[in-house]
Each structure stands twice: as structure tokens, then as C-alpha cells.
Amino acid sequence: MSQTAPYGREVRIRIGGPAGFGIKAAGQSLARVFAQAGYRTFDLTEYPSLIKGGHNTYHLRVSADPITSHVMATDILVALDRPTARLHIRELTPGGALIYDPKDFEPDADADLGGRDDVCLVPVPLTRIVDDAGGIKIMRNVAALGATLGHMGMALDGLESSIRAQFAHKAPEIAAQNIAIAQAGLEHAQGAPCAFPFALPAAEQAGDLVLADGNEAFGLGALAAGVGFYAAYPMTPASSLLHFMAKHGDAAGVVVKHTEDEIAAMNMVLGSAFGGTRSMCATAGGGFSLMVEAFGFAGVSETACVVGLFTRPGPATGLPTWTEQSDLRFALHASQGEFPRVVLAPGDHAEAFEYTWRAFNLADELQTPVILLGDSYLSDNRATSERFDVEAVEIRRGKLVAEGDVQDHPDALAGDGRYARYKVTEDGVSVRALPGVEGAIQVVNSYEHDEFGYGAQAEEASIRVAQNEKRLRKLDLAASMVPPPNRFGPDDAEISLVFFGSTKMPALQALQWLHAEGHAVNAIQVTTLWPFPAIEVCRFLCDAKINLIIEGNATGQLEGLIREQCLHAVHHRLRRYDGRPFSPELIYATVKQLLGEPVELNAAGALVAKEDFN
């Protein structure tokens, strides 16, 4: 038997059970094993916002070929409890394996297996293995990892190394005990009496891949940019970025502050940035709601700072651990009044790294806040990427006087020789002098102000107009500096796709499958949401025969923005707002439907094998 759906040379593994069973940690150990062996991996972690209990899954896709996202299909289902089998048996591909502990349950043909007789049952006494080794219950996940490798016919070497590294800070007996448990799990699975129809070919590339989640990529980008201050209050999905910065802050020379709330975080960032330090905070939509007043302060004070806005479903607390793209309009319009901002939306882990260091340059050169718009799908999930391009990183601080005497910088001075922090300029950007520069007296507050920062004079209509227009002129400059949209596929296409943010990952996977079948489908990824690249998007849509816009919100926020900026209506739309990311199968099936070649997805959203299409 062979795989017939267009997935490629790969294996998909899902581990499920209640929170507290070490599911994510176990899955990530497995991902490291494959990544270190040179395979491409992408994982998807799904969990409710419960400290303990609830249903958690970790889905790992492993491929010998480049991949860009998760898929819905599962070839090995590790059920650490009965609900996992019942909930996910529908995702198991024909011939797929169900690994379970007979002490927990014996699969019922109807209730657990859904009446399927094409499932390979792999009973592994996980609890007994752990007990025999003198371990504790949570170690069943290690036995399950061994069983998974054993069922795939793989050796334990990689997992042994991963375990030794994971427990390097503990007594050697701890690692030895875990390895013994994994070995026992492997041996039991090898004794399973059914063949496994999926196999991974030898990896063609080894040791040159980065395995990181989106928040680690954001953090590395910030470190590469020379961030000196990071402040945040924990809020999913941005919390792990705070953890990353706290872990690496000392070594990288970054002051990291866990603040009492998001209001404090944003204000501390403004204070730090005023002092000349590259500064950043990150949060989700609820936290950004609290930051908005200070965000406006950044606008009027022309403070260079970077804000990560990583969206989860709202309003209010919403669905804390799930994903959505519904904060786009919030990012564009947050705070009162009108002031320039830049909104970048990286689409994958490599772009999370690149756009972060670019965001710091844009903030400095434009002297205005820059938003990195992400979401849980990008922040939480790990993927292998080519090594991030550190050589491309450049530091540009813009019109900055960091030391010396401001009198040596005529562009910074008014006609009377005084330093004019908010001097009206042709491009809207004034010379910024740091505190301590001789002669650079400046006043900074949230009030409208004149060129020297004094608020009282700004009540004069002409001064208000001059300052407002000066700030808004930065948008023209920004438009020439921000990342342009990315285009994929042939110029002449049957169908054209439009998307932004992390939807790039499943969309490109679907595009790869469609191209492999000979379909001419192209796509545009809107990487900068503001200033909006109207010319490029309009040109793309005008050339499209049929277009499809894909976005993770209910109201079509990108579609509305296109209509507003391009006066162009889209033909078809695919929206999702149930907290789940788009799957490539769903995008693929939608495009095939538009092409007049409908395909079938099973109840779990996985592609039905081609031979079953007829």
C-alpha cells in the first residue's frame, strides 16, 4: 500500500491526552530527533486554556521534502487516553497505527474505532514499562516515543541523544532511566503484528536546519537588531517570547522586564526608546487594548519602538490558546487621532526573524511605532527552516545624534539656533538627539506641540496643521521602505490567491500540490498591511482571471481593506474563525472546486485518497 493523496514522502504523528501528561514536551523531543536527522518538520499544538485536564494534542509532520505547514492527516496516533482515540480515529489514514496502553482501554470497534477495520492496533504496556523501570506516570510519554520510533522501524539513537541533552543538568541516572523506558517502548512496538505502509526515505540534507517556533524567531530577530530593552506582561500567545527574552537577555545584554500589566510595559518601552535604546514589547489583542493610550503617545512623541501584536480570537478573553487573524483592523486604527504607523505581517518563521530586525530599522528611520502582526499559529508552532540569514541583518538608526554637541548638526536647529526636536521637514522626520547631547534641550509630552515640544503654542491652528502634516508625511517615506508583497506562481494563472500573515504557510503547501498537478495558480502575500501596497495588489488583482481571498476572520478585514484601497472587489472568499488555522487541504479543496475538479475531504478535513475520488 502506498500513499495516494498528494502529501509526499512523509509521516504524520499525533500524540493526545490530558494536559499534564507531558504531551508537548514529548512531541518536541520527537521533532528534534527528526530535525537533527535532516528531515523537515512542522508541528501543531492544540490545547484548551486549562492548567490541567482537557484534551491536548501535538501533531508532528515529518517529511523528506520541503514542507510549509501542518496537514490534517495522521499516520500514527498515540492515544494516552481513550478520548484521544475516539476524537482522532477519523484522522488516521488507512493502515495507520493506533498506539495505546491496554491498561487504559482496549479499543472498542465502534465507539473507539468508528467501525474501521483498516487500523493497525499497537498495544504497548506504557504503564507497566514505566513501573518496571521505577519511573513515574508522566514518563509514559517517553515509552510512547520509543514505541513510535519502533513502529516506524527507526533506531533509538536520536532519541537517546535528545534525552541525554534534555536531562544534562540532572543526575546521569535520570537520563539512563528515561532511555531504558524508551527502549522498552520501542521493543514492544516492534512486536506489533501489522505492517506499517508509510516510510520515510533517507534524509538528503542533515544538520543545516533551524527548528524554532515563531516566538523564538521573533526573539532572534530582535536580538539580531540589537534590542536593548524588552518589557511585557504574559499573555498567550506572546508569553513564550517573554520567556525567550528572559532566558537569553543576560547573555545578549538585554534588560528584560516582566511588568505589572501591559500599560506599564508600553510606557516603559517608550521611556527606554526615548533614551536611545532599541525597545520592544509584545502581547495579544487584549493586552494591546491596554497599551493603546501609550501607543498613541508613541505616535505624537514620534518615539521609535516595536510592538508585537499576536492575535488570538476575541473579543475580550476570547479563546486564549487558539488562533485568528481578526486584529488586522485593530492594528491599523488603534488609538485616537491620526498618526503614522507601520504594520508588518510575517508569514512564516523565517519572515518572523527578518521582519523583526527590519521593524527596528523602520521604527528608527521613521521615528514612529511599528507593529509586528502575528497570531497563535505562527507564535506557538515549530518548524524547520533554513538557517536564518544573519548576514543580511543591517542596523540603521536614521536621523540620530547620540553624542557630542547638537550645534554640530545644522539640520537639527531652528532658525534661531535652538534644537528643534519636532522640526518640520520635507520627509516628516526630524533629527532625534538623545538625552545628554550638549545643547539638545527638548520637551516631550502627549500634547500636541510646536517644533520644540511646547504644548501651549500648539493651540495655534497653523502649528497644529504643520505638526500633523509633518508626521503624516512619513507614510510616503515608509511606503518606499517597507517589504513589498510576495508573489508566487506564474504570471498567467487560472486562479489567483490573496492572503496575509501565517496563512502563507498552508497556502503555499496547497499551491505546491496544485502546481504538481499542472494547475497554473498564483498568489500574492500582503506582507505590509500599512502603508497598504495598493499599486501592487491592484495590479495583481487586475491581472487575475478568478481570485480567491483567504483570511482568518469572519468579516473579511483584508477584503474590505482591498476594496477601500484598490476599489476592487474579489470574486471568492475563504474565511475561518473557529480558532483553528487554515489547513492546506481546505485551501487545496477550495481551489479544486473553483477549477471544476472537486475533491473530497473526510470528516477530519484530510484529503481522501485519490483512488477513492471516483
Side-chain angles (χ1 to χ4, degrees):
M1 185 176 183
S2 61
Q3 295 177 98
T4 50
Y7 288 111
R9 305 179 299 167
E10 61 184 68
V11 171
R12 289 70 49 123
I13 304 161
R14 187 182 294 271
I15 306 171
F21 276 38
I23 292 166
K24 184 174 182 179
Q28 291 184 341
S29 292
L30 202 57
R32 282 195 298 272
V33 171
F34 289 113
Q36 288 171 358
Y39 292 101
R40 307 292 180 129
T41 69
F42 194 103
D43 67 27
L44 176 65
T45 305
E46 294 187 328
Y47 58 102
S49 57
L50 301 173
I51 301 300
K52 193 169 185 178
H55 179 60
N56 291 239
T57 66
Y58 177 90
H59 195 199
L60 177 64
R61 184 183 183 196
V62 185
S63 177
D65 303 314
I67 55 176
T68 63
S69 76
H70 76 292
V71 294
M72 295 304 295
T74 297
D75 305 313
I76 299 176
L77 176 60
V78 180
L80 295 177
D81 63 358
R82 175 165 247 154
T84 297
R86 294 187 174 185
L87 288 169
H88 299 286
I89 195 69
R90 61 184 185 174
E91 294 159 4
L92 208 55
T93 47
L98 172 63
I99 296 176
Y100 64 99
D101 186 346
K103 185 176 181 182
D104 293 335
F105 67 98
E106 280 294 347
D108 178 85
D110 293 322
D112 298 322
L113 302 181
R116 295 182 56 174
D117 60 2
D118 59 351
V119 174
C120 173
L121 297 178
V122 186
V124 180
L126 305 175
T127 302
R128 181 165 61 80
I129 288 172
V130 170
D131 289 343
D132 289 349
I136 57 177
K137 188 174 183 179
I138 197 173
M139 290 179 172
R140 296 193 320 151
N141 60 13
V142 179
L145 295 186
T148 302
L149 294 177
H151 190 70
M152 295 176 65
M154 298 186 67
L156 200 67
D157 303 12
L159 184 58
E160 279 189 31
S161 300
S162 180
I163 290 172
R164 291 190 195 283
Q166 183 176 353
F167 296 105
H169 61 294
K170 296 187 176 181
E173 306 86 63
I174 302 295
Q177 184 183 39
N178 278 275
I179 291 170
I181 291 171
Q183 179 68 40
L186 179 138
E187 291 172 356
H188 272 276
Q190 286 175 333
C194 51
F196 187 58
F198 306 95
L200 285 170
E204 297 174 358
Q205 180 184 14
D208 199 28
L209 300 173
V210 173
L211 179 63
D213 64 33
N215 280 354
E216 290 170 332
F218 282 119
L220 289 168
L223 295 181
V227 64
F229 181 72
Y230 182 88
Y233 181 80
M235 189 171 194
T236 306
S239 301
S240 63
L241 179 52
L242 174 60
H243 302 160
F244 175 89
M245 298 302 286
K247 181 177 180 180
H248 300 285
D250 282 347
V254 184
V255 175
V256 180
K257 178 68 175 175
H258 175 167
T259 57
E260 65 269 34
D261 56 34
E262 288 86 350
I263 300 172
M266 187 73 210
N267 279 299
M268 286 186 182
V269 162
L270 300 190
S272 173
F274 173 71
T277 300
R278 286 195 150 184
S279 304
M280 178 181 180
C281 57
T283 184
F288 190 58
S289 297
L290 298 175
M291 291 180 175
V292 162
E293 184 179 3
F295 185 75
F297 186 18
V300 76
S301 63
E302 304 188 37
T303 301
C305 59
V306 176
V307 180
L309 170 53
F310 304 154
T311 305
R312 66 193 203 189
T317 304
L319 300 174
T321 59
W322 301 88
T323 197
E324 205 162 83
Q325 294 185 302
S326 53
D327 285 344
L328 168 56
R329 285 287 188 175
F330 186 29
L332 300 185
H333 301 298
S335 193
Q336 67 271 44
E338 303 165 301
F339 61 91
R341 71 196 67 188
V342 172
V343 181
L344 306 178
D348 57 25
H349 302 71
E351 287 181 351
F353 171 81
E354 178 188 346
Y355 289 9
T356 301
W357 67 258
R358 290 189 184 281
F360 281 95
N361 285 349
L362 288 166
D364 269 341
E365 292 186 292
L366 296 167
Q367 296 178 20
T368 202
V370 176
I371 293 175
L372 289 165
L373 185 62
D375 55 40
S376 295
Y377 184 57
L378 175 58
S379 288
D380 282 346
N381 299 313
R382 291 190 168 205
T384 49
S385 306
E386 302 295 334
R387 287 192 177 276
F388 300 146
D389 189 2
V390 179
E391 297 299 320
V393 176
E394 52 183 329
I395 308 296
R396 301 195 302 266
R397 300 300 310 260
K399 297 179 181 179
L400 179 70
V401 179
E403 58 186 6
D405 191 326
V406 76
Q407 293 296 321
D408 295 332
H409 301 273
D411 291 346
L413 307 178
D416 60 3
R418 290 185 294 159
Y419 170 57
R421 168 65 185 94
Y422 302 109
K423 185 177 180 179
V424 175
T425 61
E426 189 173 338
D427 62 3
V429 182
S430 312
V431 175
R432 181 164 63 115
L434 298 187
V437 171
E438 190 170 353
I441 298 172
Q442 54 186 300
V443 178
V444 178
N445 59 47
S446 62
Y447 213 76
E448 184 58 279
H449 46 253
D450 64 7
E451 288 189 319
F452 305 100
Y454 292 107
Q457 287 83 343
E459 303 276 348
E460 182 71 34
S462 61
I463 293 177
R464 157 64 182 178
V465 170
Q467 286 296 316
N468 206 24
E469 290 182 348
K470 161 193 140 53
R471 291 191 293 267
L472 291 174
R473 278 200 293 277
K474 295 178 183 179
L475 280 174
D476 292 332
L477 178 62
S480 67
M481 301 166 64
V482 295
N486 289 325
R487 290 188 58 157
F488 307 93
D491 290 337
D492 187 22
E494 303 166 74
I495 292 182
S496 300
L497 312 182
V498 184
F499 48 80
F500 77 99
S502 67
T503 303
K504 172 189 178 183
M505 293 184 277
L508 289 193
Q509 183 63 77
L511 214 61
Q512 179 185 329
W513 294 340
L514 291 161
H515 289 169
E517 295 177 354
H519 292 296
V521 181
N522 62 12
I524 188 168
Q525 174 201 0
V526 184
T527 56
T528 300
L529 276 306
W530 202 258
F532 191 77
I535 294 175
E536 293 92 337
V537 174
C538 291
R539 186 177 295 132
F540 179 80
L541 291 174
C542 287
D543 292 341
K545 297 172 184 172
I546 301 174
N547 60 58
L548 168 68
I549 187 166
I550 308 165
E551 55 183 317
N553 57 67
T555 56
Q557 297 185 26
L558 177 60
E559 181 182 340
L561 192 59
I562 288 173
R563 192 181 304 115
E564 171 189 309
Q565 295 292 318
C566 301
L567 300 178
H568 203 295
V570 300
H571 301 135
H572 302 278
R573 55 198 57 79
L574 177 61
R575 299 174 185 169
R576 187 161 196 180
Y577 40 91
D578 58 1
R580 278 66 179 172
F582 286 104
S583 68
E585 291 101 325
L586 178 59
I587 296 172
Y588 170 84
T590 303
V591 174
K592 293 283 279 187
Q593 179 75 32
L594 293 175
L595 289 168
E597 301 176 14
V599 297
E600 186 181 346
L601 302 180
N602 66 18
L607 285 165
V608 175
K610 281 184 178 177
E611 63 221 32
D612 297 331
F613 290 168
N614 300 324

